Amino acid sequence: MTGGAAPSGAVPEPSERREASAQYAGVLFFSVSLGITLVAFPLFVVGEGRSKTMAGVLIGLSAAVQVLTRWQLGSLMRVVSNANVISAAAVLKCLAVGLLVLSPSLTALAMSAALQGMARAFFWTGNQVQIVRSPRPTPKAIATLNMTATVGMLIGPPLGGFIAERSFEAAFAVAAAVALASIVPTLMLHRPPPFARVGGHSYLHLLRNPGVRVGVWASIAVGAWRGLLGSYVPIGLDAAGSTETVIGVVVAVANGAAAVSGYFAVNVEGPRVAPGVARWGAVTLLSTVLVGFDLPVWLIMGALVVGGVANGLIQVLAITAISEAVQPELTGDAVTLVGVARGMTLSGAPLGVAALLVLGLGPAVLVVTTALVGSAVVFSDRRGWHRQQ
């Protein structure tokens, strides 16, 4: 495993502990800011008199920019350290939400959505690569990264909903201030050198690797679920009559389930990874198809919790698959490719639902989830990979 060389039970060096503390502190602040905007942004769009379709398009735009940004990160990390990419994410997030304090115009909304997409691409790819390149065991460190991010997401959505009930501008101002604070710990990270230029780093070449393919399909499932959680879940609950505070709590609980469950995947490795992705992808599919229908809030919350549990496991398995599959100098490209897959479905899920809203929100979510998560279930199955090799 590329980043998992540390023996089990080994005591981390003080420098390793400082590195981990700085990284997770930055992740916590960034995620609180992200959690605030996760709830406030779509509600702000609709509250300004724009349609639900427009909200989905703007969120889809953010995810599309995230995908385009991720495509370039493998090359970027051959020029600058991946730690600098993490610092840049904090700066971009601060600018993105700060812009919404100044203007509610459609231009400002689109620019903010684009900057948020760039920030999320930099944030996730940079942090995952930082872990895989470190001496820390990769699965446990990734689970801790997800847990820390989710603690921030537990704080951010309820806080965002509470403040947004009084003032959307205040919610965005708080999100910008927290993002600004997240810059400080990122400056204390170890800055490994840029990746060396080696052969075999093209995405097409990497996709020939079975472990990379498993990681890609896992991220497709995760991205679809996350894309819906950040777009039509708040809107659907709002249409059902839930308050902004309740919506924030529901989103936070779903994220909390994803964080806790990730630790149950830290010992899954080797030939057990692909079947695990298929199994938990199926759980994600069955739980997510309920979202968008006119159902009781408690039932939607239960479905989101189950989906969160499955996604927490899949997130860890995705990085485990690629960390076992590629040589160190290809780590940046492999993590980038997995991030592109996640970003594509973060974009594809909201845009797909927006295009199918003529069917109604529930059927639209059903079709999109089946197409994206269902494909991940089928093609991440280990036997399917053997048939293709």
Side-chain angles (χ1 to χ4, degrees):
M1 184 178 296
T2 307
S8 177
V11 178
E13 295 292 332
S15 60
E16 292 177 29
R17 290 196 296 268
R18 286 193 297 269
E19 162 80 7
S21 297
Q23 183 174 15
Y24 297 140
V27 167
L28 178 63
F29 285 122
F30 186 96
S31 299
V32 170
S33 178
L34 180 61
I36 293 172
T37 53
L38 185 69
V39 170
F41 186 81
L43 298 179
F44 179 61
V45 174
V46 175
E48 286 292 310
R50 296 181 172 88
S51 68
K52 296 175 183 178
T53 299
M54 177 57 69
V57 169
L58 285 169
I59 294 166
L61 169 66
S62 180
V65 171
Q66 183 179 164
V67 172
L68 294 174
T69 302
R70 286 186 192 254
W71 274 112
Q72 304 303 318
L73 287 179
S75 298
L76 180 63
M77 287 184 290
R78 286 193 163 81
V79 178
V80 301
S81 173
N82 53 272
N84 291 337
V85 170
I86 300 173
S87 298
V91 175
L92 289 168
K93 180 62 178 175
C94 181
L95 293 174
V97 289
L99 182 62
L100 297 176
V101 179
L102 303 177
S103 173
S105 69
L106 183 59
T107 299
L109 289 169
M111 289 179 63
S112 176
L115 288 172
Q116 288 186 64
M118 292 179 65
R120 293 176 76 164
F122 278 38
F123 171 77
W124 281 108
T125 300
N127 275 291
Q128 289 169 346
V129 171
Q130 188 81 1
I131 284 174
V132 176
R133 297 186 81 180
S134 77
R136 288 173 277 165
T138 295
K140 183 176 181 180
I142 289 293
T144 303
L145 173 73
N146 293 338
M147 170 64 82
T148 306
T150 304
V151 169
M153 295 298 289
L154 286 170
I155 298 169
L159 178 61
F162 177 79
I163 301 174
E165 282 190 34
R166 292 147 182 83
S167 168
F168 283 111
E169 289 78 10
F172 294 133
V174 171
V178 175
L180 182 64
S182 73
I183 298 171
V184 177
T186 70
L187 300 177
M188 295 184 284
L189 294 174
H190 169 65
R191 271 150 169 78
F195 288 104
R197 297 182 182 276
V198 296
H201 67 271
S202 73
Y203 294 143
L204 183 60
H205 188 279
L206 285 170
L207 281 172
R208 297 173 186 168
N209 186 307
V212 173
R213 292 201 298 266
V214 169
V216 166
W217 282 113
S219 290
I220 285 173
V222 171
W225 188 80
R226 292 283 179 184
L228 293 174
L229 189 67
S231 56
Y232 285 102
V233 168
I235 290 172
L237 290 171
D238 182 57
S242 299
T243 67
E244 285 84 352
T245 301
V246 170
I247 294 169
V249 170
V250 171
V251 172
V253 169
N255 278 295
V260 172
S261 67
Y263 283 100
F264 293 103
V266 298
N267 293 321
V268 178
E269 56 187 13
R272 299 168 58 201
V273 173
V277 171
R279 179 169 58 251
W280 292 108
V283 174
T284 299
L285 173 62
L286 294 175
S287 61
T288 309
V289 295
L290 299 177
V291 175
F293 288 100
D294 187 13
L295 298 170
V297 172
W298 65 265
L299 183 58
I300 296 176
M301 180 182 288
L304 290 171
V305 169
V306 172
V309 169
N311 263 261
L313 290 159
I314 296 171
Q315 278 185 282
V316 174
L317 294 176
I319 304 300
T320 300
I322 63 170
S323 69
E324 294 179 338
V326 299
Q327 59 179 291
E329 290 303 327
L330 295 177
T331 297
D333 299 284
V335 172
T336 296
L337 181 58
V338 167
V340 167
R342 172 178 166 145
M344 287 180 69
T345 47
L346 273 169
S347 172
L351 289 175
V353 171
L356 296 172
L357 275 177
V358 65
L359 303 175
L361 184 56
V365 171
L366 173 62
V367 171
V368 169
T369 304
T370 301
L372 296 177
V373 182
S375 296
V377 171
V378 173
F379 293 113
S380 64
D381 182 81
R382 178 178 56 186
R383 290 167 297 177
W385 294 125
H386 284 176
R387 283 194 298 269
Q388 295 180 40
Q389 290 174 9

